[in-house]
């Protein structure tokens, strides 16, 4: 969810001003995409609408785009084109970086319900634990999730599994793999120029299925309905999924049976292993070579946090390390039923609409999630 649907003119002005201050003060720290002139750029404004099919020739032009437009979100293609500003059919595709998206919302964690609220589509009231708005009885709403530490840690575990597969199964050098916090609920993993850059969408989907350990057949691991031959089982020394499967299911302590019914059991185990052994990546992102993707260093309009490089994933704390909006005090009207921590401080909950003065980064965070509005000073 983002809070743009519930914003008024004052909200838009405060957010545009806050984002512009970020871009002005951090302009030289924002990384310039490689082969920038061959990529398609796009951006969104807080007032809505997507502008894309843009060509940005160099670093100076990119920085001008950020400062002049105060965009809510900025995007850049993972593909390279001869003519990035043309219509899609005329761009002349030249290849695309591998990019993977891991989002906590796709992990179906038990904690999610506890930190999700609803913004009424009619009266904009914010509420929890009710199927309809307690103020106007409307069932129209937009969900607003406030990812917690458990969400971020769970997403990190998926990143670790993904990177292990990229390095050890696909042979991608660690120096070519970059891990970014997405600016909201997860991580983006970018892979620089490799032999995989020329893969077409169908091949990228197949690669994604391999990474997810999706739709695996027992026969791949020597298990057949008619006959189970232990000699064809993989060993722990085998590379890739064969070795992982051997350790998980065919290790020294794992029971081995030659009964035909064992096939069904193993098939079920392999199916369930998708969720425990495979990396949970967004396949719509992996297979789409014409997507424009959130640009590193830009702010995310769903939170006001920055998409930044994680040099130490284990220690990375997005609520400290990705919070760059200024800390001067601003007045807002908040109705935020979720207690949250940001920039080393804790805020809320504000069960009823409450006028408060908080640091700008906290005001922006609540406004981006549709639970606060600006008050004119």
């Amino acid at each position: 969810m983002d809070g743009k649907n519930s914003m008024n003119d004052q909200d838009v002005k405060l957010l545009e001003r806050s984002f512009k201050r970020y871009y002005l003060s951090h302009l030289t720290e924002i990384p310039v995409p490689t082969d920038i002139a061959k990529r398609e750029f796009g951006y969104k404004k807080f007032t809505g609408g997507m502008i894309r099919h843009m060509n940005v020739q160099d670093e100076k032009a990119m920085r001008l785009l950020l400062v002049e437009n105060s965009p809510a979100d900025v995007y850049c293609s993972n593909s390279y084109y001869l003519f990035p500003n043309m219509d899609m059919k005329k761009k002349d595709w030249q290849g695309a970086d591998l990019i993977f998206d891991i989002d906590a919302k796709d992990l179906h964690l038990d904690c999610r319900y506890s930190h999700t609220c609803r913004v009424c589509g009619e009266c904009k009231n914010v509420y929890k634990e009710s199927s309809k708005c307690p103020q106007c009885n409307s069932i129209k709403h937009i969900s607003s999730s406030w990812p917690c530490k458990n969400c971020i840690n769970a997403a990190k575990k998926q990143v670790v599994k993904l990177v292990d597969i990229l390095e050890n199964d696909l042979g991608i050098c660690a120096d070519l793999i970059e891990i970014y916090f997405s600016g909201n609920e997860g991580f983006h993993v970018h892979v620089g120029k490799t032999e995989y850059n020329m893969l077409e969408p169908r091949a990228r989907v197949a690669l994604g299925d391999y990474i997810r350990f999706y739709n695996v057949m027992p026969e791949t691991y020597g298990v057949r309905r008619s006959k189970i031959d232990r000699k064809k089982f993989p060993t722990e020394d085998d590379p890739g999924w064969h070795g992982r499967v051997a350790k998980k299911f065919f290790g020294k302590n794992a029971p081995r049976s030659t009964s035909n019914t064992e096939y069904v059991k193993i098939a079920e185990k392999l199916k369930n292993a998708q969720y425990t052994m495979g990396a949970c990546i967004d396949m719509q992102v992996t297979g789409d070579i014409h997507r424009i993707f959130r640009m590193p260093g830009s702010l995310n309009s769903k939170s006001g946090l920055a998409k930044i490089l994680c040099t130490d994933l284990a220690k990375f704390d997005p609520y400290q390390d990705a919070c760059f909006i200024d800390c001067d005090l601003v007045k807002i009207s908040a109705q935020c039923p979720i207690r949250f921590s940001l920039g080393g401080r804790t805020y809320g909950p504000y069960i009823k609409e409450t006028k408060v003065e908080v640091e700008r980064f906290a005001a922006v965070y609540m406004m981006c999630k549709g639970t606060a509005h600006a008050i004119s000073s």
Side-chain angles (χ1 to χ4, degrees):
M1 178 269 180
D2 60 50
K4 290 192 279 292
N5 289 337
S6 62
M7 289 179 187
N8 57 40
D9 290 345
Q10 286 190 92
D11 298 338
V12 170
K13 287 181 182 177
L14 189 150
L15 290 169
E16 285 186 341
R17 195 179 307 126
S18 301
F19 275 42
K20 187 167 189 171
R21 284 167 60 167
Y22 163 78
Y23 285 120
L24 282 171
S25 58
H26 295 83
L27 204 53
T28 58
E29 300 164 26
I30 296 173
V32 180
T34 56
D35 293 320
I36 185 170
K38 295 181 179 179
R39 297 183 188 264
E40 177 195 347
F41 278 72
Y43 67 88
K44 284 182 181 177
K45 298 283 286 183
F46 282 105
T47 48
M50 166 73 91
I51 299 166
R52 60 178 298 183
H53 304 298
M54 297 176 63
N55 176 219
V56 175
Q57 279 295 324
D58 52 28
E59 177 179 345
K60 183 179 178 181
M62 184 194 80
R63 306 208 188 288
L64 197 62
L65 181 155
L66 297 174
V67 173
E68 283 192 337
N69 296 285
S70 302
D73 299 286
V74 187
Y75 303 98
C76 171
S77 69
N78 59 325
S79 284
Y80 315 95
Y81 304 100
L82 274 184
F83 309 107
N85 59 331
M86 302 290 280
D87 293 340
M88 199 57 74
K89 291 182 180 178
K90 299 178 181 176
K91 287 183 186 294
D92 198 348
W93 186 76
Q94 302 287 301
D97 300 334
L98 287 177
I99 292 187
F100 303 95
D101 181 19
I102 290 173
D103 201 306
K105 76 177 188 304
D106 298 325
L107 302 181
H108 308 294
L109 301 169
D110 292 338
C111 61
R112 191 168 184 81
Y113 178 77
S114 68
H115 52 69
T116 298
C117 62
R118 293 178 171 183
V119 182
C120 177
E122 297 291 345
C123 70
K124 312 305 178 190
N125 180 41
V126 183
Y127 59 97
K128 285 184 68 181
E129 300 171 355
S130 177
S131 58
K132 59 184 179 181
C133 176
Q135 188 163 281
C136 72
N137 289 325
S138 173
I139 60 172
K140 294 180 181 177
H141 70 273
I142 301 172
S143 294
S144 177
S145 179
W146 304 59
C148 66
K149 187 175 289 186
N150 182 55
C151 295
I152 299 301
N153 287 339
K156 285 182 180 180
K157 290 179 181 177
Q158 300 301 316
V159 173
V160 171
K161 287 193 286 186
L162 170 60
V163 171
D164 174 58
I165 294 169
L166 293 177
E167 290 184 13
N168 296 312
D169 294 24
L170 305 186
I172 296 174
C173 176
D175 292 342
L176 295 175
I177 301 172
E178 293 182 328
I179 302 167
Y180 291 89
F181 172 59
S182 70
N184 193 33
E185 296 202 48
F187 296 89
H188 297 162
V189 177
H190 295 217
V191 178
K193 284 192 173 180
T194 66
E195 60 190 285
Y196 301 101
N197 281 59
M198 296 307 295
L199 290 181
E200 296 286 345
R202 186 176 298 180
R204 290 172 189 256
V205 169
L207 182 64
D209 287 345
Y210 176 83
I211 290 169
R212 293 190 300 153
F213 198 53
Y214 176 73
N215 205 20
V216 175
M217 300 298 292
E219 284 81 355
T220 305
Y221 301 100
V223 181
R224 303 184 187 282
R225 285 185 181 278
S226 58
K227 181 182 179 182
I228 295 179
D229 184 353
R230 293 182 182 185
K231 294 180 181 178
K232 293 185 179 179
F233 283 3
T235 70
E236 295 186 14
D237 295 328
D238 286 341
W241 282 113
H242 279 72
R244 294 189 192 93
V245 167
K247 290 174 185 174
K248 181 75 174 180
F249 301 115
F250 304 137
K252 295 178 181 178
N253 298 323
R256 290 189 180 187
S257 170
T258 56
S259 69
N260 195 39
T261 57
E262 188 68 12
Y263 176 93
V264 177
K265 292 181 182 177
I266 292 176
E268 189 65 21
K269 287 180 180 178
L270 291 174
K271 182 180 178 182
N272 293 334
Q274 173 191 343
Y275 307 105
T276 57
M277 298 174 68
C280 183
I281 56 175
D282 184 338
M283 288 300 289
Q284 289 188 333
V285 171
T286 303
D288 187 353
I289 59 172
H290 295 305
R291 174 181 289 260
I292 51 175
F293 216 67
R294 189 172 302 284
M295 193 180 81
S298 65
L299 295 178
N300 190 321
S301 72
K302 296 178 181 176
S303 66
L305 303 180
K307 173 173 175 174
I308 62 166
L309 184 66
C310 303
T311 54
D312 187 339
L313 183 66
K315 294 182 179 178
F316 179 75
D317 177 358
Y319 305 114
Q320 284 279 4
D321 302 334
C323 181
F324 294 103
I325 297 285
D326 290 342
C327 59
D328 56 314
L329 297 177
V330 296
K331 295 177 181 177
I332 57 170
S333 175
Q335 187 184 10
C336 174
I338 310 291
R339 184 178 174 85
F340 67 97
S341 296
L342 189 64
R345 305 187 183 195
T346 301
Y347 302 89
Y350 309 107
I351 305 300
K352 295 182 179 179
E353 192 169 337
T354 307
K355 292 182 180 179
V356 292
E357 191 172 56
V358 297
E359 286 75 10
R360 183 177 294 271
F361 59 78
V364 167
Y365 193 63
M366 285 188 273
M367 292 171 65
C368 286
K369 292 188 174 297
T371 62
H373 295 284
I375 297 176
S376 56
S377 54

